[in-house]
Amino acid sequence: QVRLVESGGGLVQAGGSLRLSCAASGSIFGINAMGWYRQAPMKQRELVGLISRDGTTNYTDSLKGRFTISRDNSKNTVYLQMNSLKPEDTAVYYCHAWIRDRSDFKYRSTWGQGTQVTVSS
C-alpha cells in the first residue's frame, strides 16, 4: 500500500554533517506524526525525535541542539539534519510515520527500511 523510504545515509568524519530524508509514497490519504529512530549494534532502538503534522517537535534531550527534524507536507517528506556528528552516532536510522491509505479506515504505524550512518574518528 504505502511505503516510507529513507535516503542520505553514508560515511562521514567526526564533526561533519549529514541530512537524511524520508519520503512516503503510495495512495496516501493523510500522514500524522512522523519521527526518526536509530539502532546501534548490540543496542535497542531509540527515539531520536518526533514532529507533529503542524511542525511541533520533540527531541531526545542528549541530541537536542545537534539534530533538527523538519517536514514538507506537500512532498510527504520528513528530514533529519545532523550536525557535529560523533562516532557514537553510528547506527541504522529509521523513519516512522502514522499513515492512512486512501482505501483504509485508520492510520497505521509505518516504518522505513533504514539507512546506515557511519561516523569515523
Side-chain angles (χ1 to χ4, degrees), residues 46-83:
E46 67 172 347
L47 173 69
V48 174
L50 300 170
I51 184 166
S52 68
R53 186 174 55 209
D54 67 2
T56 302
T57 55
N58 282 289
Y59 301 93
T60 294
D61 286 343
S62 62
L63 300 178
K64 194 168 186 175
R66 294 195 298 121
F67 288 14
T68 303
I69 296 174
S70 60
R71 67 189 286 172
D72 185 339
N73 291 335
S74 70
K75 298 181 179 179
N76 293 325
T77 300
V78 63
Y79 305 94
L80 178 65
Q81 178 68 47
M82 304 183 292
N83 298 324

Side-chain angles (χ1 to χ4, degrees), residues 3-66:
R3 295 201 309 162
L4 289 172
V5 179
E6 301 96 334
S7 62
L11 177 64
V12 64
Q13 290 183 279
S17 298
L18 210 58
R19 189 177 81 152
L20 306 183
S21 299
C22 173
S25 62
S27 56
I28 298 169
F29 176 83
I31 305 175
N32 285 331
M34 308 183 80
W36 288 95
Y37 297 74
R38 68 183 186 182
Q39 187 166 22
M42 302 300 294
K43 291 190 175 182
Q44 298 294 110
R45 187 171 300 185
E46 67 172 347
L47 173 69
V48 174
L50 300 170
I51 184 166
S52 68
R53 186 174 55 209
D54 67 2
T56 302
T57 55
N58 282 289
Y59 301 93
T60 294
D61 286 343
S62 62
L63 300 178
K64 194 168 186 175
R66 294 195 298 121

